[in-house]
Amino acid sequence: MMDEGEGSSEMEFMNIDSAADSLDSSAIFHVVNDVLGFILFMHQQIPSVLQDITQEFDDLRTEFKELEVELAKSEGKAISTRRKQASRKREVKLGIRKLEKLMDCISNLKSALQLVITEVPNVEKISLVLGPSPLRPLHIYELSFSLGTGVSCDFSRSKVAETLSRKAIRMLISRGAGSDSYACPTKLFLMVKAPSYLNLPLHFLPKREFRQNRKKVPFRLRFRCRTRDLEMNAQPNDSASSVGLLDSTSKDLIWFQCRHTIKGLVSRTTPQED
């Protein structure tokens, strides 16, 4: 069976509208982060939703520190009690090791994302690529943002970000995103389309000749704000005209690839067919 989008170079934009006048870097960060978590979970690259894994990791680290204190204070306690505490400490340590690499990768990628959307005045397009490499994608999720984004020093989660994330994930689910999965872990890559003069050597590599694989059509999300430019927000919901407009005004934009990737941890067990 032909993969979704294979043999075609067009897929209509899924428009996500906001009542806000503009999107700041904080809102963009949280929206991208939530879509990233959705991709990893729905394609069975992590065993549970990202928020739960993050909470589990924090809880394990807290418990490990508490066990260390308890063991240090239990010199005079029964041997059975000390053995039980030591056994639990080993279990917790194994749990931390299991999640540590994944959480470090996620943290590094999120830091890079924060940096680029703060440094670039107008983030036009962010691409999340799931697969062995950006040139051999299994799935592509492309997020476009209307011009006029602002920089925010506060990256706390806002109501605007919460609403946009919820709308985006519902839209993706309604279009069948995440409906298939893979037995083996794969990688998630972050690509950012930005001005060619951008200089972020610690986190991003310029890919001037990069072209997305035409056989795998992206899920395209376009986030739009309330603006005086009614013509911009009234663009028809088709990719051909919109992509042409973006390309014609983006001659100095190139793709940058984040150095940090996220490799899937485990695949959830799927029921076997009879």
Side-chain angles (χ1 to χ4, degrees):
M1 179 181 293
M2 184 177 292
D3 290 339
E4 181 177 357
E6 188 173 352
S8 171
S9 61
E10 295 185 4
M11 176 180 282
E12 65 180 18
F13 278 94
M14 293 173 273
N15 290 323
I16 310 296
D17 294 324
S18 171
D21 291 319
S22 64
L23 294 180
D24 61 18
S25 53
S26 176
I28 293 175
F29 169 77
H30 286 291
V31 169
V32 175
N33 184 53
D34 289 346
V35 172
L36 181 152
F38 165 83
I39 295 170
L40 292 174
F41 178 64
M42 293 301 290
H43 290 293
Q44 300 189 3
Q45 296 302 302
I46 53 178
S48 58
V49 295
L50 189 55
Q51 293 90 333
D52 289 349
I53 291 179
T54 302
Q55 186 62 55
E56 178 186 355
F57 185 64
D58 291 341
D59 290 345
L60 286 172
R61 290 192 299 179
T62 299
E63 184 179 358
F64 186 81
K65 291 178 181 179
E66 292 174 348
L67 285 168
E68 284 189 315
V69 173
E70 290 177 7
L71 279 168
K73 294 181 178 179
S74 62
E75 290 293 338
K77 292 185 179 181
I79 295 178
S80 60
T81 300
R82 289 180 54 79
R83 284 178 176 173
K84 185 176 180 180
Q85 291 175 335
S87 176
R88 178 55 186 167
K89 182 181 176 182
R90 286 193 295 270
E91 291 176 2
V92 171
K93 189 173 183 178
L94 286 174
I96 292 173
R97 285 181 176 176
K98 180 181 178 182
L99 295 175
E100 196 164 30
K101 186 174 181 179
L102 172 68
M103 299 309 298
D104 284 346
C105 290
I106 291 174
S107 177
N108 289 336
L109 189 142
K110 287 168 66 174
S111 296
L113 176 63
Q114 277 192 4
L115 176 62
V116 73
I117 62 179
T118 300
E119 292 291 328
V120 181
N122 292 308
V123 176
E124 179 190 301
K125 194 176 297 183
I126 293 174
S127 186
L128 299 170
V129 181
L130 191 70
S133 76
L135 294 175
R136 293 186 295 144
L138 297 173
H139 291 285
I140 305 172
Y141 292 82
E142 191 176 282
L143 286 67
S144 300
F145 300 91
S146 61
L147 300 180
T149 56
V151 175
S152 173
C153 296
D154 179 11
F155 276 86
S156 59
R157 195 178 186 87
S158 66
K159 186 175 180 180
V160 170
E162 186 75 34
T163 300
L164 288 176
S165 292
R166 188 165 55 247
K167 286 182 177 181
I169 290 174
R170 285 176 178 173
M171 181 73 76
L172 287 170
I173 292 174
S174 71
R175 297 297 179 92
S179 58
D180 57 350
S181 58
Y182 312 95
C184 298
T186 188
K187 292 181 179 180
L188 185 142
F189 299 86
L190 171 66
M191 308 287 294
V192 176
K193 201 168 191 181
S196 57
Y197 56 78
L198 182 66
N199 184 23
L200 296 172
L202 294 179
H203 294 286
F204 287 87
L205 294 172
K207 298 290 183 178
R208 296 179 181 277
E209 304 301 322
F210 177 76
R211 297 291 183 273
Q212 287 186 337
N213 190 320
R214 291 182 176 275
K215 292 184 178 181
K216 185 58 65 176
V217 179
F219 285 93
R220 291 190 171 103
L221 291 173
R222 180 168 57 193
F223 296 86
R224 306 186 303 182
C225 300
R226 182 174 56 194
T227 174
R228 295 179 181 177
D229 190 353
L230 299 180
E231 183 178 351
M232 176 182 174
N233 271 6
Q235 289 177 15
N237 192 29
D238 67 271
S239 62
S241 62
S242 300
V243 171
L245 177 61
L246 288 174
D247 289 344
S248 66
T249 59
S250 306
K251 298 298 184 182
D252 62 337
L253 299 180
I254 64 171
W255 284 104
F256 289 80
Q257 180 180 333
C258 183
R259 293 175 180 268
H260 307 293
T261 62
I262 300 174
K263 185 175 181 180
L265 177 63
V266 294
S267 298
R268 287 173 289 168
T269 302
T270 54
Q272 297 181 349
E273 295 182 0
D274 296 332

